[in-house]
Amino acid sequence: QSVLTQPPSVSGAPGQRVTISCTGSSSNIGAGYDVHWYQQHPGTAPKLLIYGNFNRPSGVPDRFSGSQSGASASLAITGLQPEDESDYYCQSYDSSMRGSVFGGGTRLTVL
Amino acid sequence: QLHLQESGSGLVKPSQTLSLTCAVSGGSISNDRYSWTWIRQPPGKGLEWIGYIYFSGSTYYNPSLGGRVSISVDTSKNHFFLRLTSVSAADTAVYYCARSAPFDWIDPWGQGTLVTVSS
């Protein structure tokens, strides 16, 4: 069982908007530690998608956005494209573990 | 541009020790602004943080691994290492090395290496 909770799956049609939630606790997101998001296509390493709750690394389209409130965070993807079909993971720091914690991952299906 | 590459045995027998190396290129591992991290992903499952090491030698490990893990660094070779003892089938996974900012994001990642625990 993952420390951060994500829905196992979400789906949307091309062009639509989807959101993926990430819920933590008082020892991680709720303690003020930032949330980061990764995209992982099958057979490849995770790629940093959002860092520091809402920042996009160079090269990540602005269709991807992140937000955080309290002990939760969200990743929003607008204008869904077929290549967005992937697994998405949230990650934060946990003070009780003194290390990184991940969500269980969410599989996005573009219908 | 920083690049990380994992290497090591792809097949380990139960109860033996898993050993992996991460070669870092395009930047120095002797930078205490960052930590050097190992993460794993069992087939079909999610990501699990294993632990990390700072250039200073400070290490932090996932408590769920019960003291079986150790991470070390060789600054002369710009490499860092993972050792996991007393492995079982549950340790079968793709193992990734990566750089992480303290308390923060993980980037970049190596391509990952599959380690199978089987007799």
Side-chain angles (χ1 to χ4, degrees), chain B residues 54-107:
Chain B
Y54 286 91
F55 162 65
S56 62
S58 300
T59 51
Y60 299 88
Y61 303 127
N62 190 326
S64 71
L65 292 170
R68 297 189 294 127
V69 61
S70 66
I71 297 174
S72 58
V73 63
D74 183 339
T75 56
S76 67
K77 294 183 177 179
N78 228 33
H79 291 175
F80 64 106
F81 310 95
L82 171 70
R83 279 175 50 91
L84 183 65
T85 62
S86 304
V87 298
S88 69
D91 295 309
T92 293
V94 175
Y95 285 76
Y96 296 100
C97 63
R99 182 185 69 176
S100 56
F103 313 110
D104 255 326
W105 64 89
I106 301 168
D107 183 69

Side-chain angles (χ1 to χ4, degrees), chain A:
Chain A
Q1 189 150 355
S2 301
V3 174
L4 306 180
T5 301
Q6 297 179 234
S9 63
V10 297
S11 62
Q16 285 190 334
R17 178 182 187 270
V18 297
T19 61
I20 299 172
S21 61
C22 175
T23 302
S25 67
S26 58
S27 62
N28 41 70
I29 304 173
Y33 294 106
D34 286 347
V35 178
H36 321 289
W37 293 90
Y38 303 85
Q39 179 189 56
Q40 185 180 34
H41 289 295
T44 68
K47 167 193 164 187
L48 181 64
L49 194 65
I50 297 286
Y51 67 96
N53 297 322
F54 51 79
N55 301 290
R56 286 186 307 277
S58 174
V60 173
D62 60 6
R63 302 186 295 102
F64 295 89
S65 63
S67 63
Q68 179 269 333
S69 177
S72 296
S74 289
L75 172 71
I77 310 171
T78 58
L80 269 181
Q81 299 185 2
E83 58 264 33
D84 298 334
E85 187 161 289
S86 187
D87 292 328
Y88 293 86
Y89 293 89
C90 61
Q91 175 248 325
S92 186
Y93 177 85
D94 190 280
S95 58
S96 61
M97 279 187 59
R98 302 182 74 184
S100 291
V101 289
F102 289 95
T106 299
R107 176 151 296 177
L108 168 62
T109 301
V110 180
L111 302 170

